[in-house]
Amino acid sequence: MNYLEVAEKTAREAGVILLENLGKVKEIEFKAKNSLVTEVDKLSEEIIISNIKSSFPSHGIFAEESGRDSSESEHVWLIDPIDGTTNYAHAYPFFSISIALETNGEVEVGLVYDPVKDEMFTAEKGKGAFLNGESITVSKSHAIEHSHVCTGFMHEVEWMVEANIKHFGNFIRRARAVRRDGSAALDLCYVACGRFDGFWELGLNPWDTAAAVLILKEAGGQVSTFTGDKYSIYEKEILASNSIVHEQMIEILAIED
Ligand code: IPD
Ligand code: CA
Ligand code: CA
C-alpha cells in the first residue's frame, strides 16, 4: 500500500471507533480551560499510529495527544485523531480525523475524514484534490457580499476571543453569512470543495491544518497569513479562500475597529 492508502485505511478504522462511541463519551480531561480530550481521542490516535508504524516503522510521528516521537526520519506523519473534540464530546456531528505526511518539511499527502457523512477528502502534492475519489475545486464566488465564510475560536482563550470577535463582526457585516463549525480541518476542506468561500482562524496547530491546507491548495485555493504573507503550518494565523476573494478578506481582516 502507498502512503495515501495506508492513511485511508487507518482513518476508516478510527472512524468506526468514533461513530461507535459518539454520544457515549465517559471521560473528559482538560488540557487547558475549554481544551478537551476524551478517551476516544486517545484510542483513535493509538489506532492511527499503530497502523502507520506497522507500514512505515522508520517514519516519525507528530500527533496531537502524544506529541512528537524521537525519529529523525525525513518523513513525519501529523495526526489529529479527532478534530472537533468539543463537538464530539457533545455528540454534535461535525468532527474529523486529519492525517498528513510531511517529507523534508513539505506536506505531500493529506487526508481529512468525516465519518458521520462518510466523506473522505484527500490530496497528494501535484495530483489534485478529491472527495470520495471525485475531483474537487474551490468555488467561483467573486464578491465577499456573496460569500459564505467560516472561522473558529481556538478554545476560547481570552486574547483570541477579543481579536477574533472583531473580525467576526466585520465579516458578519460584509459577507453573505459567517459560520463557526468547530473542526478547522473540515472547515478548510469545505473551502476546498466550494461549500465555503473562505476561512480564517487564529491559534491553530500543525496537526489541525497540515492535511487540509494541501487539499485546499490542490483544489485551487489560496492560503496565507492575515496580511497575505506566505503561510506555514507552524504559523499561528491562517487565511484560506477560493483565491478570488482572498484580497477582499485581507482587507476585512485589516480593519482596525
Ligand atoms: C480544534 C478545532 C476547532 C478550532 C480549534 C482547534 P481540536 O481542534 O479545529 O475548530 O477552533 O482551534 O484546536 O482541539 O478539536 O482537535
Ligand atoms: Ca484539532
Ligand atoms: Ca484533536
Side-chain angles (χ1 to χ4, degrees):
M1 279 196 286
N2 67 25
Y3 299 145
L4 184 57
E5 287 164 345
V6 170
E8 276 199 45
K9 177 178 167 281
T10 187
R12 287 194 192 281
E13 226 174 276
V16 170
I17 300 297
L18 265 52
L19 290 182
E20 279 175 5
N21 289 284
L22 185 59
K24 300 179 197 154
V25 167
K26 290 190 198 72
E27 286 164 37
I28 297 181
E29 288 170 27
F30 293 86
K31 294 186 275 189
K33 182 172 173 273
N34 293 330
S35 177
L36 281 54
V37 56
T38 72
E39 73 274 17
V40 191
D41 292 75
K42 294 178 188 167
L43 190 56
S44 172
E45 186 162 303
E46 271 167 35
I47 292 167
I48 297 167
I49 294 177
S50 92
N51 268 293
I52 290 173
K53 278 281 176 200
S54 76
S55 297
F56 311 112
S58 67
H59 287 192
I61 300 285
F62 186 16
E64 177 172 12
E65 310 307 341
S66 53
R68 199 186 267 273
D69 70 9
S70 57
S71 159
E72 286 180 6
S73 167
E74 58 185 351
H75 300 291
V76 180
W77 291 84
L78 293 111
I79 300 160
D80 191 337
I82 304 182
D83 185 54
T85 296
T86 309
N87 285 349
Y88 187 80
H90 290 265
Y92 181 84
F94 192 86
F95 49 83
S96 59
I97 293 163
S98 175
I99 304 175
L101 174 63
E102 195 184 49
T103 302
N104 293 321
E106 282 273 334
V107 178
E108 59 168 306
V109 175
L111 170 158
V112 175
Y113 181 50
D114 170 355
V116 173
K117 295 196 197 61
D118 191 22
E119 288 191 330
M120 177 79 74
F121 294 88
T122 55
E124 289 167 284
K125 196 159 189 257
K127 295 188 183 167
F130 299 86
L131 166 51
N132 290 345
E134 301 283 325
S135 173
I136 51 171
T137 55
V138 290
S139 75
K140 295 193 169 43
S141 181
H142 267 86
I144 201 68
E145 56 270 32
H146 302 144
S147 294
H148 187 218
V149 299
C150 183
T151 188
F153 288 81
M154 189 255 189
H155 303 313
E156 283 74 9
V157 178
E158 197 47 40
W159 72 265
M160 200 87 71
V161 175
E162 269 205 18
N164 208 24
I165 282 287
K166 179 185 77 175
H167 301 315
F168 196 79
N170 286 329
F171 276 104
I172 292 230
R173 289 187 194 99
R174 290 163 182 83
R176 175 170 290 165
V178 184
R179 303 289 180 246
R180 185 262 200 264
D181 267 353
S183 167
L186 217 42
D187 297 336
L188 284 161
C189 289
Y190 277 29
V191 182
C193 69
R195 294 173 186 167
F196 289 135
D197 307 298
F199 169 81
W200 79 95
E201 187 162 348
L202 284 156
L204 292 174
N205 288 295
W207 51 79
D208 299 310
T209 57
V213 162
L214 178 67
I215 294 165
L216 174 80
K217 286 196 213 154
E218 289 294 325
Q222 188 173 345
V223 61
S224 73
T225 65
F226 286 4
T227 49
D229 290 331
K230 192 173 177 336
Y231 172 77
S232 137
I233 56 170
Y234 299 95
E235 196 75 49
K236 286 286 175 193
E237 62 181 41
I238 183 167
L239 167 61
S241 76
N242 66 358
S243 94
I244 311 167
V245 295
H246 209 81
E247 275 309 315
Q248 295 168 62
M249 292 187 76
I250 290 175
E251 282 166 25
I252 294 171
L253 288 167
I255 298 171
E256 280 303 333
D257 49 5

